[in-house]
Amino acid sequence: MALVERTRRHGAGEFQLLGRTWELLPEVWLPTLSYSTEFYTTHLPYPQDGSFLEVGCGAGVTAVHAALSGCATVTATDVTSQAVDNTARNARRHDASGVTTVVSDVFTGLDDHDQFDCVFWNLPYVAISTDYRYPDGLTRAVFDAGMAGCRAYVAGAARVLAPGGRLFLGLGDIGDRDAMEGAAAEHGWQVQLVAASRGEPDAHVEHRLFELVRA
């Protein structure tokens, strides 16, 4: 909960990341508290002239970077309206065309026909008991009660992937990798490690990018 409280203390304002200045709204995760956003944003293979879906967009760093890196369309979803608004603001700020924002719990807010060439979610790292009740939206950036978010992601991903599309997720070494891989296997996915790294300000955590492919 310490990182959540540090985000709250920062409040609304601006932050610097990846050579750009970003706006941060209240109750939205501050990406500079962890190396994770920088790591995943710079290691994802963005489909040139293709479509990209980010689940859990937060302040919008990865979604905006995807649009500026050659994706024709980017859909950014989050469970909180504050994060969706924050991403839309940062897309306008950086003239990132083709970015659409949607309030969605994993895939629930998408249309049935929506499909994407690349799908990614930086999963909440901390698995917590199934009966945990989120006090607010911000804590959902950190905790995954009963790993329900992870399970919904691997269960619904096949529907939102375009033919030949690629599926990625991020999970640090403080997360439950065995449970993640078990959930993926239940839905026909094999998990492959693509990249891993440590960096400031949380160098004690190894951030890991995984690709899920059909078993």
Side-chain angles (χ1 to χ4, degrees), residues 93-200:
R93 181 181 190 129
H94 296 294
D95 296 321
S97 61
V99 176
T100 301
T101 55
V102 181
V103 176
S104 177
D105 189 350
V106 192
F107 304 124
T108 59
L110 300 175
D111 292 336
D112 291 341
H113 65 275
D114 286 341
Q115 290 192 317
F116 306 90
D117 298 310
C118 183
V119 178
F120 168 70
W121 188 12
N122 176 8
L123 293 173
Y125 281 7
V126 182
I128 199 165
S129 63
T130 304
D131 59 357
Y132 177 78
R133 295 294 177 262
Y134 300 102
D136 49 41
L138 186 55
T139 56
R140 297 189 67 163
V142 179
F143 299 113
D144 189 2
M147 295 198 72
C150 174
R151 295 181 185 282
Y153 187 70
V154 298
R159 178 183 69 80
V160 301
L161 276 180
R166 302 179 70 182
L167 177 65
F168 296 89
L169 63 80
L171 185 67
D173 64 353
I174 62 173
D176 192 338
R177 178 174 176 174
D178 289 341
M180 179 270 288
E181 291 185 339
E186 289 176 11
H187 296 279
W189 299 105
Q190 180 181 1
V191 179
Q192 300 178 351
L193 180 65
V194 175
S197 184
R198 301 175 187 269
E200 296 297 338

